[in-house]
Amino acid sequence: MKLINLIENKPVEGGLRYEHGLSFYVETQKHRLLIDTGASDAFLYNADMLGVDLSRVDTVILSHGHYDHTGGVLAFAQRNPHANIYLQKTAGAEYYHKDAQSERYIGIDKRILALPQVHLMDGNYVIDDGISVFTHVTGRKLWPAGNHALKQKTGEQFIDDSFCHEQYVVLSEAGKKILISGCAHNGIVNILDTYRSLYGGAPDVVFSGFHMKKSSDYTEAEKQNIRATGAELAKLPTIFYTGHCTSEAGYQLLYEIMGEQLRESHTGDQFQF
């Protein structure tokens, strides 16, 4: 299995573009997949620079209904109108970032929902014996503090986003299981609890942002929450690759607990499993 990080937040050398977004390209024995498409068409440029032929992609999976993971879908669909695109049916709702200073729509472009190759799912789904997705993570242990400003608008009312639109990809090949999550809004510990109930044990490798990014410094309670998350993850026989919405400060707090079990994943990075 081969995985390439097509775009992420951090500037890198080599002329590759970066943005607040995330996109992975994956090759398995049976499939060529795209998991998320960043915030714009910049990932297409990076794919070309990295020698990735996106016209051969057969499956696209969108981790949740936020612009920074779906913003490149329409541009991708012009280049490749044949790949099946999978997202939860709740991903098309009205999602906002709202705090005391501002109110900003962060949901998907609604034109995506009208694409003929889009499949709107309602819950867990098995694509084949090598690819499945799961959702409905209901635990709230070690809830990411970055979620508090994320809302869903229903009529004129704003309610806390439940992240029922978030889904997680499980890739199985050659005896290994790899879990890919976009932002882990539901909390990586809760996601792994649900994974265990469905698949048993723990995945060999996880790629995920942890949504610890904040515009202000962490409170002591938030630091403790991150350290407790690291302590839970350190119990598992799993290697974790992270970036995007984790933040440098969050990464360092986790690394203090997890050491080399935690690794960075940035634009252009390539992995072989």
Side-chain angles (χ1 to χ4, degrees):
M1 192 184 305
K2 180 180 181 180
L3 187 147
I4 301 175
N5 188 327
L6 292 181
I7 203 158
E8 194 263 343
N9 302 34
K10 194 171 183 178
V12 293
E13 297 179 356
L16 295 174
R17 296 175 181 174
Y18 66 94
E19 65 185 6
H20 178 73
L22 191 65
S23 178
F24 291 112
Y25 169 78
V26 182
E27 286 185 11
T28 70
Q29 291 180 355
K30 296 181 180 179
H31 295 281
R32 285 169 171 78
L33 299 97
L34 194 59
I35 301 174
D36 289 344
T37 64
S40 71
D41 62 357
F43 81 102
L44 297 174
Y45 174 87
N46 288 350
D48 292 340
M49 290 282 287
L50 294 165
V52 175
D53 183 359
L54 293 179
S55 70
R56 301 181 68 191
V57 166
D58 56 80
T59 303
V60 180
I61 302 174
L62 303 178
S63 65
H64 60 297
H66 287 169
Y67 79 98
D68 52 325
H69 297 258
T70 63
V73 170
L74 295 174
F76 169 80
Q78 289 185 336
R79 181 179 294 194
N80 180 338
H82 308 294
N84 292 305
I85 301 172
Y86 296 92
L87 65 161
Q88 291 294 313
K89 68 178 185 180
T90 48
E94 299 291 313
Y95 296 113
Y96 281 77
H97 181 281
K98 187 178 189 305
D99 55 25
Q101 289 75 43
S102 65
E103 175 185 310
R104 179 168 58 96
Y105 178 72
I106 59 170
I108 69 172
D109 187 321
K110 296 298 195 294
R111 290 176 293 174
I112 293 170
L113 303 175
L115 292 172
Q117 63 269 47
V118 161
H119 301 266
L120 298 177
M121 300 182 294
D122 185 12
N124 302 349
Y125 189 79
V126 176
I127 294 175
D128 63 21
D129 58 357
I131 310 171
S132 60
V133 301
F134 69 93
T135 184
H136 296 322
V137 173
T138 57
R140 288 297 180 263
K141 184 166 56 177
L142 300 173
W143 189 245
N147 286 339
H148 295 312
L150 300 181
K151 307 294 181 182
Q152 178 180 347
K153 190 173 185 180
T154 57
E156 296 303 314
Q157 301 296 314
F158 287 94
I159 60 174
D160 289 340
D161 193 339
S162 68
F163 303 106
C164 62
H165 53 109
E166 191 171 67
Q167 61 182 0
Y168 319 95
V169 184
V170 179
L171 305 174
S172 304
E173 188 166 280
K176 286 188 176 294
K177 280 192 165 56
I178 297 177
L179 171 64
I180 302 178
S181 164
C183 286
H185 285 288
N186 276 306
I188 189 63
V189 172
N190 302 312
I191 293 164
L192 288 165
D193 283 346
T194 301
Y195 174 96
R196 187 179 303 111
S197 71
L198 295 170
Y199 300 90
D204 298 284
V205 180
V206 170
F207 284 86
S208 180
F210 295 147
H211 208 254
M212 296 169 176
K213 190 177 182 68
K214 279 191 68 187
S215 57
S216 59
D217 292 337
Y218 293 129
T219 65
E220 285 305 313
E222 288 165 348
K223 290 179 181 178
Q224 185 53 39
N225 185 289
I226 293 171
R227 292 189 181 104
T229 298
E232 289 293 319
L233 299 183
K235 297 174 184 177
L236 302 175
T238 303
I239 298 297
F240 293 87
Y241 291 91
T242 193
H244 178 48
C245 57
T246 298
S247 84
E248 187 62 32
Y251 181 88
Q252 292 303 323
L253 286 169
L254 290 170
Y255 190 84
E256 290 173 10
I257 306 295
M258 299 175 66
E260 291 302 313
Q261 190 182 4
L262 180 69
R263 305 172 188 183
E264 292 184 289
S265 169
H266 297 305
T267 305
D269 286 351
Q270 303 190 29
F271 307 88
Q272 198 86 33
F273 301 102

